[in-house]
Amino acid sequence: MKPLFSLLFTFFILSTTAQEVTIYKNQEGESHLAGKFPVEYLQQDSTYRQWFNKNYAEFTVEKGNDKWKKALKNTQVDIYLGTWCGDSQKWVPSFLKLWDELGLDRKQLSFTALYDGEEKYKQGPNEEEKGKKIHRVPTFIFNNNGEEYARIVETPRNDLKTDLAQIALGYPSEPNYRAATYLLDLFEENSMTDIYKDANTHLNEVYHLVGKSGELHTLGRVLMSSNRVDQGLLVLQFNTIINPYTPSVLNRYGNALAEKGQKETAISTFEKVLQIEPEDENALAQLKKLKEN
């Protein structure tokens, strides 16, 4: 298989420290960061500084009673992002601007960039995201004494300052993507055997929590690319049950089945796509390949 990205290595020297930064080229030939890096790299490197500094400058912080910020003095925030991701490009500079305006210490923040592309989708070069339940970027994880107590997933639930104040005061809003969160918690706490025994109950719960089809689509993609195959297939199957007439949802499930050698179910799934969209290119191509083998 042709790799979807190639790795390059560069060094970024800060005034007081030296930190190696990993850069890769994705399938489109764009250069992006992967792994841990100093945020000053985004501010100063010509590849990233245009969008970073623009969004930092444009974010405005309303003045008010900010005494709650004292509660964040011992908080560590681990920030996972994609330099290829529009939401990361908007909300990471905005978060840093708010943090700076509140007079909080940047040393409390750590930044980790994740890959795009199918091969290591939303993963770090050293599995930095492993066990962190990352399925959307940016994700801001708030820790105190090594224990997570809040997170912001992709975008604020209210506005950024309100969300941060609620976290500081101990009343964080529930993060976005409740169905994905439910499933990730489920996979962490239960075996797949037990989950399948009560699959209809879990499906019903997901149905009432899920937003758009993209929520499960993305989660399934993340799980499949990190070799959590049984979990990924279940998520994608749930998505086809909830969205049975959406070709992109059926195609994603069919592609995953074909990749994992589940030929007959894959064929049946692609045939459903063609009942809805007879000229669907992916379904036609996949069916031809599957029936030839």
Side-chain angles (χ1 to χ4, degrees):
M1 180 200 292
K2 183 179 178 182
L4 295 181
F5 51 79
S6 58
L7 294 180
L8 304 170
F9 295 93
T10 187
F11 294 89
F12 179 64
I13 309 300
L14 300 178
S15 58
T16 57
T17 63
Q19 182 173 346
E20 182 179 317
V21 175
T22 302
I23 298 176
Y24 72 98
K25 288 188 180 294
N26 66 7
Q27 195 171 24
E28 288 72 38
E30 302 167 337
S31 294
H32 291 291
L33 300 184
K36 292 186 177 298
F37 66 93
V39 72
E40 288 81 4
Y41 195 90
L42 295 180
Q43 293 177 293
Q44 298 178 23
D45 187 84
S46 60
T47 305
Y48 315 104
R49 67 188 180 197
Q50 183 175 2
W51 58 258
F52 188 92
N53 291 335
K54 176 179 181 292
N55 289 325
Y56 183 98
E58 290 181 354
F59 184 77
T60 58
V61 181
E62 293 186 8
K63 300 299 181 182
N65 184 345
D66 299 332
K67 290 182 179 180
W68 49 264
K69 68 184 181 182
K70 295 178 181 178
L72 296 170
K73 291 292 185 181
N74 296 317
T75 289
Q76 170 74 29
V77 187
D78 299 326
I79 302 169
Y80 295 83
L81 65 139
T83 53
W84 41 268
C85 164
D87 286 309
S88 294
Q89 292 176 8
K90 176 179 180 180
W91 291 110
V92 172
S94 299
F95 184 90
L96 188 65
K97 175 71 169 289
L98 175 57
W99 198 261
D100 288 343
E101 289 287 315
L102 291 171
L104 295 165
D105 193 342
R106 286 192 180 190
K107 292 179 181 178
Q108 296 172 248
L109 310 178
S110 70
F111 297 84
T112 303
L114 306 179
Y115 293 120
D116 63 345
E118 293 292 337
E119 191 173 341
K120 290 177 73 69
Y121 183 57
K122 293 182 181 173
Q123 298 175 55
N126 298 302
E127 297 186 327
E128 292 89 346
E129 84 301 335
K130 192 171 183 179
K132 303 293 186 181
K133 301 180 185 177
I134 307 295
H135 58 96
R136 293 275 174 165
V137 287
T139 294
F140 304 83
I141 302 178
F142 294 76
N143 301 284
N144 200 331
N145 295 321
E147 295 290 330
E148 177 182 341
Y149 70 94
R151 68 171 57 194
I152 298 172
V153 178
E154 194 174 65
T155 62
R157 287 300 299 268
N158 304 286
D159 62 80
L160 193 54
K161 189 173 182 180
T162 298
D163 278 22
L164 191 59
Q166 289 177 335
I167 289 168
L169 295 170
Y171 301 99
S173 292
E174 188 174 8
N176 295 315
Y177 303 107
R178 294 184 300 155
T181 299
Y182 172 84
L183 286 165
L184 288 169
D185 288 342
L186 183 70
F187 295 143
E188 185 175 273
E189 298 165 6
N190 300 271
S191 69
M192 290 304 296
T193 299
D194 288 338
I195 291 170
Y196 278 118
K197 286 178 181 177
D198 208 12
N200 286 334
T201 298
H202 299 309
L203 174 61
N204 184 63
E205 189 70 27
V206 169
Y207 176 81
H208 288 95
L209 291 173
V210 75
K212 296 180 180 179
S213 62
E215 179 172 355
L216 299 185
H217 181 102
T218 297
L219 178 59
R221 184 180 173 190
V222 168
L223 293 169
M224 295 296 294
S225 68
S226 57
N227 295 317
R228 297 166 67 179
V229 176
D230 290 343
Q231 296 174 3
L233 286 175
L234 181 63
V235 170
L236 295 175
Q237 184 181 18
F238 276 7
N239 209 17
T240 66
I241 297 169
I242 296 169
N243 300 281
Y245 305 111
T246 305
S248 62
V249 169
L250 294 168
N251 269 316
R252 170 61 65 180
Y253 183 48
N255 291 344
L257 290 166
E259 181 183 342
K260 299 307 173 184
Q262 298 189 28
K263 181 177 178 180
E264 296 305 319
T265 310
I267 288 173
S268 174
T269 302
F270 289 125
E271 287 175 342
K272 291 178 183 176
V273 174
L274 296 180
Q275 291 174 9
I276 301 164
E277 184 54 67
E279 302 302 320
D280 187 281
E281 293 182 1
N282 179 73
L284 289 169
Q286 288 281 24
L287 275 175
K288 181 180 179 182
K289 185 189 302 183
L290 288 165
K291 291 181 177 180
E292 285 175 350
N293 295 333

